[in-house]
Amino acid sequence: MGSCFASWSYFIFHVLLVSQYSPANSWKDNDDGHLQTMPKQLEHGDGPSPLMNPLLNLFFKMNDLKQGKRIPIYFSTNDPSTSPHLLPKQEADSIPFSLSQLPEVLEFFSFPKHSPQAKAMEYTLSECEFEPLMGETKFCANSLESMLDSLKGFFGTGTEFHALTTKHLSKHSALLQNYTVLEVPKVVETPKMVGCHSMPYPYKVFYCHGQEGDHKLFEISMLGDNGERVEVVGVCHVDTSHWDPNHVAFRVLNTKPGESPVCHFLPADNIIWVASPAVTN
Ligand SMILES: *[C@@H]1O[C@H](CO)[C@@H](O)[C@H](O)[C@H]1NC(C)=O
């Protein structure tokens, strides 16, 4: 089960890192810095209190999911006008996509070798080329077609699957505020799931990885203190006994490995793929 630890803490790490270093903020504005410094702080808690990071307000406890419960959450925003575009497969396939070809890719996009963009692209490519851990499925997709092909492989031919995402139902502003759970959360039953999150890159690249068992998925209808409505996808990792005791989630939730499930809400640019029909109740 060691692989579960690695892949899921990795996932949470990605949620935080990628949201923090989102292309929308960094790509055009030349805003550097977090890529190198964030991970260490988040993982080890050194330096100026990492708990001050509003993105950490995505963690929650499973028993918080009660109707009427108020939970402080921070949902970041993505400006579609500056977000990278999804490329058609043909176009994506015509651009080199590997660490060894990074110099050519940088030249193609006219980014200097030591620019923050170059660092981010190197980061993304190396994450994508990292060998999956035993029992884990992982892949990067540089187009929708390639994502669907890999998903078919994961779920098996003949199995249908569909996407779950967090949806902002009204105008959304990035703000740390309390959200009230409006209804009894829906439980989504699925034996297998794949989480895909977008990576910092000049065009849309998804980092996806698959899981079997040991998780609970919820769809939660919520109302922000400012009147915002949001349909939130939440994932809980049930058995945390093999997680690193220093994992930031334990500090945020004030708990210990194995004591209670660790859950997190998904930002709107993440996708969870589940086998259909997923039974909801
Ligand atoms: C959320 O509500 C609690 C009381 O219910 C309050 O103490 C806390 O400051 C609120 N948090 C935010 C971010 O508004």
Side-chain angles (χ1 to χ4, degrees), residues 90 222 254 275:
Q90 208 181 0
M222 299 186 115
N254 194 19

Side-chain angles (χ1 to χ4, degrees), residues 241-262:
S241 56
H242 46 281
W243 284 33
D244 180 350
N246 294 320
H247 194 285
V248 66
F250 297 126
R251 263 174 299 132
V252 176
L253 298 175
N254 194 19
T255 173
K256 291 199 279 280
E259 207 171 73
S260 60
V262 165

Side-chain angles (χ1 to χ4, degrees), residues 53-258:
N53 185 338
L55 292 166
L56 293 172
N57 287 282
L58 284 175
F59 291 110
F60 66 98
K61 288 185 171 169
M62 204 155 80
N63 53 15
D64 282 344
L65 287 188
K66 295 197 178 92
Q67 196 175 6
K69 179 82 185 176
R70 282 157 54 81
I71 309 173
I73 316 176
Y74 178 85
F75 290 111
S76 50
T77 46
N78 260 329
D79 178 355
S81 68
T82 55
S83 285
H85 297 291
L86 201 50
L87 295 186
K89 180 175 166 54
Q90 208 181 0
E91 198 178 335
D93 287 351
S94 72
I95 306 169
F97 188 72
S98 72
L99 203 50
S100 61
Q101 290 166 298
L102 182 61
E104 288 147 78
V105 189
L106 291 177
E107 198 167 314
F108 183 88
F109 288 104
S110 315
F111 289 132
K113 203 171 152 203
H114 298 291
S115 61
Q117 288 88 349
K119 263 195 268 177
M121 288 160 75
E122 183 179 4
Y123 165 78
T124 292
L125 290 171
S126 51
E127 292 303 299
C128 287
E129 289 179 18
F130 206 78
E131 282 297 311
L133 299 148
M134 273 254 291
E136 189 203 37
T137 300
K138 94 166 236 275
F139 57 88
C140 280
N142 56 0
S143 69
L144 209 49
E145 291 89 336
S146 91
M147 176 154 62
L148 291 175
D149 283 346
S150 301
L151 288 167
K152 274 181 209 157
F154 176 77
F155 286 107
T157 31
T159 305
E160 303 209 336
F161 46 87
H162 67 270
L164 299 179
T165 55
T166 289
K167 296 177 192 72
H168 296 282
L169 303 181
S170 54
K171 195 177 173 320
H172 168 60
S173 40
L175 176 72
L176 174 60
Q177 63 172 332
N178 282 307
Y179 288 80
T180 305
V181 177
L182 289 181
E183 292 160 22
V184 177
K186 264 201 268 179
V187 180
V188 181
E189 300 284 358
T190 177
K192 282 184 169 189
M193 64 183 236
V194 176
C196 293
H197 12 275
S198 43
M199 298 292 280
Y201 216 70
Y203 53 91
K204 217 35 156 182
V205 168
F206 287 99
Y207 178 100
C208 304
H209 61 128
Q211 272 284 287
E212 295 192 36
D214 194 39
H215 57 256
K216 280 191 186 298
L217 261 175
F218 297 93
E219 286 184 301
I220 313 133
S221 190
M222 299 186 115
L223 175 69
D225 277 358
N226 70 348
E228 275 183 28
R229 285 271 286 109
V230 55
E231 292 291 338
V232 190
V233 177
V235 185
C236 295
H237 309 292
V238 180
D239 180 9
T240 57
S241 56
H242 46 281
W243 284 33
D244 180 350
N246 294 320
H247 194 285
V248 66
F250 297 126
R251 263 174 299 132
V252 176
L253 298 175
N254 194 19
T255 173
K256 291 199 279 280

